[in-house]
């Protein structure tokens, strides 16, 4: 079939859920039987999001093929339920880097390298490469219409339209309709301005998604219709959701958005959607049978509540996915680990929680407080889930307090410790630049039979080998056999093999390892069998969780917290 393109751009302001809307449209088209993928365009000059502070631009998402990427790719994976590789994130920095490298190599054979056509051509090339195996390619343009830095991307999209034909393109404009409190009336003017700005690039929107606090009423719908000359049926109301983003595809489908888009692209449904399972999970989130309190103990200095959620979006989502399967509501408290260091007696507040998580992190700030929380969870049999740094600190805590290794530590924090139970791998030792130099992306892991972790991965069907097809030979290592799974990584330090025997002799179980081509085994999971749920992983399982396929560890954690 001919390739089809859906371009999603934002008007008025950013942060109104363009990524989730793009992912939802993708999910709907998938349900109609089409192979769909989504590409995120970020107009910044960074090559990728790996060097961006999470408080600057939200969480850094990790792709299976080792990309450190804008968090929107996480939304795409969570909704589409398929791997989205790093080529699906295009930044201005990548375009210019490639062009300048080519110029230095002499690839342009003496020609002048110019903004037009070279920049849009490079953008087009990348879009087509990323969309190669798919019927429908969604292209989300970051920022808002009118941003100077978006001009090359809009130009490139228009040029693609010329190549592929108007009929194969649908433009979706996502706008925001404010309701200023002093007049309490929904205003359409910013949307009108956004439409005008878009048409200045030669692009006329086919569909307008109207984000607002409230649903769109007839008066405003008529006004936009008249102003934009777009039939009412293509002006879609997208009010704030009450509880979960996973209700968005269902809401769009109430207005038949999928069929309307297919129609515009002259496509017929290849099958009809079956939303029954999705709907029942959404209901599980919207109407929980009970509520449980979870503490996430980390280092949250100077982060407002709002930014905090965005910086840990995948953990939030993975917890939500699991909670949908048990129909429990989660009340999450983000606790600053440093508060325990300053006031050790306050550790007792953790008694109020049904479960404790220590998320990933870097550096020394708050590590002692995090270990106080881990010790409390271990000694009081409160379900504990340690993610990456959360595994490393659990091992240090165990080494110090159970194995009597005084001042055991990670060499990330204490170079001269007598017990470096967490240490850097040799190949990481002489890293000279910061971008893209960690152990990154999906790695295979062999699980130990009859452990809690093994049972969870088995129960949730994660031993399917086809997941491993995305792994490079290096990342597969020597991991063979039936009980191989894969998870994503983003870290530099590893469990030091020298101390494994001693830790094991005191009751810590290492339930999975990655074996490198050179035979070195890297520990991936730990558990304490006598505790109700005390589990840590060197990986980031929050990056491989979706509503229909929750992460086994989050599933087990929420299950343990709910009874
Ligand atoms: N700082 C630790 C390391 O680099 C853990 C990183 C993480 O939690 N992502 O190994």
């Amino acid at each position: 079939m001919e390739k089809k393109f859906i371009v999603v751009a934002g008007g008025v302001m950013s942060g109104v859920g363009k990524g989730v809307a793009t992912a939802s449209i993708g999910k709907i088209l998938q349900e109609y039987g089409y192979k769909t993928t989504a590409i995120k365009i970020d107009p910044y000059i960074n090559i990728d999001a790996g060097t961006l502070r999470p408080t600057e631009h939200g969480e850094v998402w990790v792709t299976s093929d080792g990309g450190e990427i804008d968090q929107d790719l996480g939304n795409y994976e969570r909704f589409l339920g398929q791997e989205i590789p790093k080529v699906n994130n295009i930044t201005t920095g990548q375009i210019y880097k490639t062009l300048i490298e080519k110029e230095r190599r002499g690839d342009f054979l003496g020609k002048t390298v110019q903004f037009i056509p070279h920049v849009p051509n490079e953008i087009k090339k990348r879009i087509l490469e990323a969309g190669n195996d798919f019927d429908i390619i969604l292209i989300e343009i970051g920022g808002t219409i009118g941003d100077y830095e978006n001009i090359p991307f809009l130009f490139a999209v228009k040029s693609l339209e010329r190549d592929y034909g108007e009929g194969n393109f649908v433009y979706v404009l996502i706008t925001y309709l404010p309701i200023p409190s002093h007049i309490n009336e929904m205003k359409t003017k910013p949307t009108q301005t956004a439409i005008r700005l878009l048409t200045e690039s030669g692009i006329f929107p086919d569909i307008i998604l109207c984000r607002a606090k409230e649903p769109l009423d007839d008066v405003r719908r008529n006004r936009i219709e008249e102003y934009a000359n777009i039939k009412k049926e293509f002006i879609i109301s997208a009010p704030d959701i009450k509880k979960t983003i996973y209700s968005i595809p269902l809401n769009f489908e109430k207005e038949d958005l999928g069929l309307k888009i297919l129609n515009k692209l002259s496509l017929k449904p290849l099958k009809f959607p079956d939303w029954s399972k999705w709907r029942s999970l959404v209901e599980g989130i919207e109407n929980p049978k009970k509520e449980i309190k979870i503490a996430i103990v980390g280092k949250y200095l100077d982060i407002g509540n709002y930014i905090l959620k965005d910086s840990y979006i995948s953990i939030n989502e993975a917890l939500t996915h699991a909670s949908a399967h048990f129909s429990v509501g989660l009340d999450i408290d983000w606790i600053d680990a440093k508060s325990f260091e300053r006031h050790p007696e306050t550790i007792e507040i953790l008694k109020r929680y049904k479960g404790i998580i220590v998320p990933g992190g870097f550096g020394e700030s708050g590590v002692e407080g995090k270990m106080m929380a881990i010790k409390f969870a271990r000694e009081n049999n409160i379900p504990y889930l340690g993610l990456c740094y959360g595994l490393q600190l659990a091992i240090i805590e165990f080494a110090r307090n159970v194995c009597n290794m005084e001042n055991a530590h990670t060499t990330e924090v204490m170079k001269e410790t007598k017990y470096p139970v967490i240490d850097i791998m040799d190949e990481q030792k002489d890293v000279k630049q910061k971008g893209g130099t960690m152990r990154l992306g999906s790695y295979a892991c062999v699980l130990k039979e009859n452990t809690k972790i093994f049972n969870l991965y088995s129960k949730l069907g994660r031993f399917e080998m086809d997941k491993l097809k995305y792994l490079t030979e290096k990342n597969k290592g020597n991991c063979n056999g039936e009980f191989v799974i894969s998870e994503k990584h983003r870290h530099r330090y590893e469990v030091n093999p020298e101390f494994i025997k001693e830790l094991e002799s005191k009751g810590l179980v290492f339930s999975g390892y990655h074996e490198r081509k050179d035979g070195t085994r890297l520990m991936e999971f730990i558990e304490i069998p006598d505790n109700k749920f005390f589990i840590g992983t060197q990986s980031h399982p929050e990056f491989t969780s979706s509503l229909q396929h929750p992460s086994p560890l989050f599933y087990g954690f929420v299950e343990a917290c709910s009874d």
Side-chain angles (χ1 to χ4, degrees):
M1 74 173 250
E2 274 182 302
K3 266 208 189 313
K4 308 284 178 180
F5 300 84
I6 298 171
V7 181
V8 183
V12 183
M13 63 187 200
S14 62
V16 295
K18 234 180 328 135
V20 171
T22 305
S24 299
I25 294 172
K27 171 73 189 163
I28 292 170
L29 297 173
Q30 237 184 14
E31 285 292 317
Y32 281 102
Y34 286 94
K35 279 169 74 186
T36 308
T37 191
I39 296 171
K40 173 76 192 292
I41 285 174
D42 279 310
Y44 47 64
I45 296 176
N46 301 58
I47 299 289
D48 60 35
T51 54
L52 285 170
R53 209 182 307 128
T55 49
E56 175 91 16
H57 203 75
E59 172 188 86
V60 178
W61 170 260
V62 178
T63 61
S64 263
D65 57 353
E68 296 174 290
I69 301 287
D70 182 90
Q71 60 176 9
D72 272 332
L73 260 72
N75 283 321
Y76 302 164
E77 277 200 12
R78 285 189 276 268
F79 278 79
L80 297 177
Q82 74 200 25
E83 303 271 348
I84 303 282
K86 62 181 167 194
V87 290
N88 287 39
N89 187 210
I90 303 176
T91 71
T92 300
Q94 293 169 12
I95 303 294
Y96 278 92
K97 183 169 182 273
T98 306
L99 287 178
I100 291 168
E101 278 168 4
K102 279 191 185 167
E103 187 272 336
R104 290 289 85 187
R105 275 202 310 266
D107 290 3
F108 292 103
L109 304 172
K111 280 212 185 92
T112 314
V113 187
Q114 288 179 300
F115 177 68
I116 293 172
H118 296 105
V119 170
N121 281 354
E122 181 60 31
I123 298 171
K124 279 162 64 180
K125 185 173 147 264
R126 282 169 183 258
I127 292 175
L128 292 172
E129 272 167 14
N132 195 28
D133 297 331
F134 296 89
D135 306 326
I136 304 178
I137 309 170
L138 284 136
I139 306 165
E140 179 192 344
I141 301 185
T144 26
I145 293 307
D147 294 348
Y148 291 125
E149 47 189 17
N150 269 333
I151 293 170
F153 297 104
L154 293 172
F155 196 93
V157 157
K158 204 53 202 165
S159 160
L160 259 186
E161 184 197 299
R162 182 160 42 86
D163 298 343
Y164 282 79
E166 233 179 285
N168 293 324
F169 270 73
V170 164
Y171 291 98
V172 180
L173 176 67
I174 304 190
T175 72
Y176 191 75
L177 292 98
I179 308 175
S181 55
H182 59 291
I183 42 176
N184 206 19
E185 183 196 320
M186 188 186 279
K187 303 304 267 180
T188 62
K189 186 64 90 191
T191 296
Q192 297 176 20
T193 311
I195 295 168
R196 207 190 61 225
L197 273 173
L198 192 59
T199 51
E200 279 173 12
S201 306
I203 293 172
F204 199 79
D206 296 287
I207 288 166
I208 301 190
L209 287 181
C210 296
R211 288 280 298 108
K213 226 168 148 198
E214 305 289 334
L216 196 65
D217 62 11
D218 274 346
V219 178
R220 320 296 128 172
R221 209 183 281 255
N222 289 340
R223 198 168 294 156
I224 298 171
E225 176 180 41
E226 272 169 16
Y227 185 88
N229 254 329
I230 295 177
K231 279 203 187 131
K232 245 192 276 196
E233 61 192 279
F234 299 113
I235 301 169
I236 310 284
S237 172
D240 285 355
I241 38 116
K242 297 224 161 42
K243 255 192 154 153
T244 169
I245 51 172
Y246 301 104
S247 62
I248 292 173
L250 302 175
N251 292 345
F252 283 169
E253 276 301 77
K254 281 186 200 141
E255 299 203 37
D256 279 329
L257 183 60
L259 288 175
K260 286 174 188 171
I261 291 177
L262 289 182
N263 229 340
K264 284 214 177 258
L265 294 169
S266 313
L267 294 174
K268 299 240 166 331
L270 297 178
K271 68 175 182 79
F272 279 93
D274 175 7
W275 293 105
S276 50
K277 186 170 176 213
W278 188 277
R279 186 170 289 120
S280 83
L281 290 168
V282 167
E283 268 159 26
I285 302 169
E286 287 178 342
N287 305 306
K289 292 203 233 23
K290 64 171 170 182
E291 188 150 288
I292 54 176
K293 276 174 91 68
I294 307 281
I296 306 190
V297 182
K299 128 182 136 175
Y300 311 124
L301 246 55
D302 308 322
I303 315 182
N305 253 345
Y306 184 77
I307 296 175
L308 191 79
K309 255 189 134 173
D310 227 28
S311 307
Y312 293 92
I313 178 170
S314 293
I315 297 181
N316 248 315
E317 291 306 313
L319 282 169
T320 303
H321 302 151
S323 76
H325 288 257
F326 298 102
S327 193
V328 293
L330 300 177
D331 178 9
I332 300 171
D333 279 345
W334 303 84
I335 300 177
D336 187 1
K338 287 205 145 186
S339 67
F340 296 140
E341 294 172 10
R342 281 190 296 263
H343 308 285
E345 69 290 353
T346 58
I347 198 77
E348 291 288 324
I349 60 160
L350 290 176
K351 277 222 164 89
R352 294 188 213 142
Y353 296 91
K354 291 284 191 187
I356 298 169
I357 291 179
V358 171
F362 296 86
E364 73 177 312
S365 170
V367 293
E368 294 301 327
K370 288 181 197 175
M371 281 190 272
M372 289 165 74
I374 296 169
K375 180 167 187 271
F376 193 86
R378 182 175 57 76
E379 289 179 344
N380 292 282
N381 205 7
I382 301 174
Y384 172 72
L385 179 60
L387 305 168
C388 205
Y389 218 10
L391 161 134
Q392 297 177 353
L393 297 174
I395 291 177
I396 298 167
E397 189 279 316
F398 194 87
R400 285 183 187 178
N401 299 321
V402 182
C403 307
N404 295 319
M405 300 184 203
E406 207 184 325
N407 290 328
H409 225 312
T410 162
T411 51
E412 178 174 358
V413 177
M414 194 188 275
K415 291 253 170 323
E416 305 308 329
T417 167
K418 193 169 158 205
Y419 304 105
V421 288
I422 308 294
D423 198 7
I424 200 150
M425 298 181 289
D426 282 343
E427 68 182 48
Q428 293 281 16
K429 274 189 179 146
D430 49 25
V431 161
K432 297 202 174 48
Q433 58 174 49
K434 285 256 159 70
T437 53
M438 284 188 261
R439 182 179 172 211
L440 276 172
S442 288
Y443 281 80
C445 166
V446 183
L447 292 185
K448 192 178 202 166
E449 273 179 89
N450 300 323
T451 57
K452 265 195 188 127
I453 292 170
F454 178 95
N455 292 340
L456 282 168
Y457 276 82
S458 158
K459 183 169 175 187
L460 288 147
R462 290 282 289 265
F463 285 125
E464 339 123 64
M465 293 299 283
D466 73 341
K467 277 222 163 275
L468 305 181
K469 74 176 178 237
Y470 297 98
L471 299 186
T472 59
E473 279 307 309
K474 175 177 170 257
N475 294 11
K476 259 185 217 156
N478 300 333
C479 302
N480 299 309
E482 299 171 69
F483 303 136
V484 179
I485 54 115
S486 81
E487 288 288 6
K488 292 178 182 171
H489 289 252
R490 185 174 190 253
H491 61 105
R492 288 202 171 82
Y493 293 80
E494 301 286 350
V495 177
N496 187 342
E498 271 177 48
F499 297 94
I500 291 176
K501 270 220 160 68
E502 192 159 353
L503 292 161
E504 275 177 337
S505 73
K506 293 285 188 327
L508 193 68
V509 171
F510 289 89
S511 6
Y513 62 84
H514 169 75
E515 187 173 307
R516 291 200 313 211
K517 284 271 180 241
D518 66 7
T520 317
R521 286 192 175 179
L522 305 174
M523 294 302 123
E524 299 280 24
F525 293 99
I526 54 161
E527 60 190 83
I528 299 179
D530 290 343
N531 278 40
K532 187 174 177 191
F533 186 100
F534 189 99
I535 280 177
T537 172
Q538 188 58 84
S539 69
H540 285 280
E542 67 272 23
F543 292 144
T544 26
S545 183
S546 63
L547 186 61
Q548 280 162 305
H549 299 287
S551 151
L553 296 193
F554 282 87
Y555 181 96
F557 175 72
V558 170
E559 185 178 36
C561 297
S562 355
D563 51 58

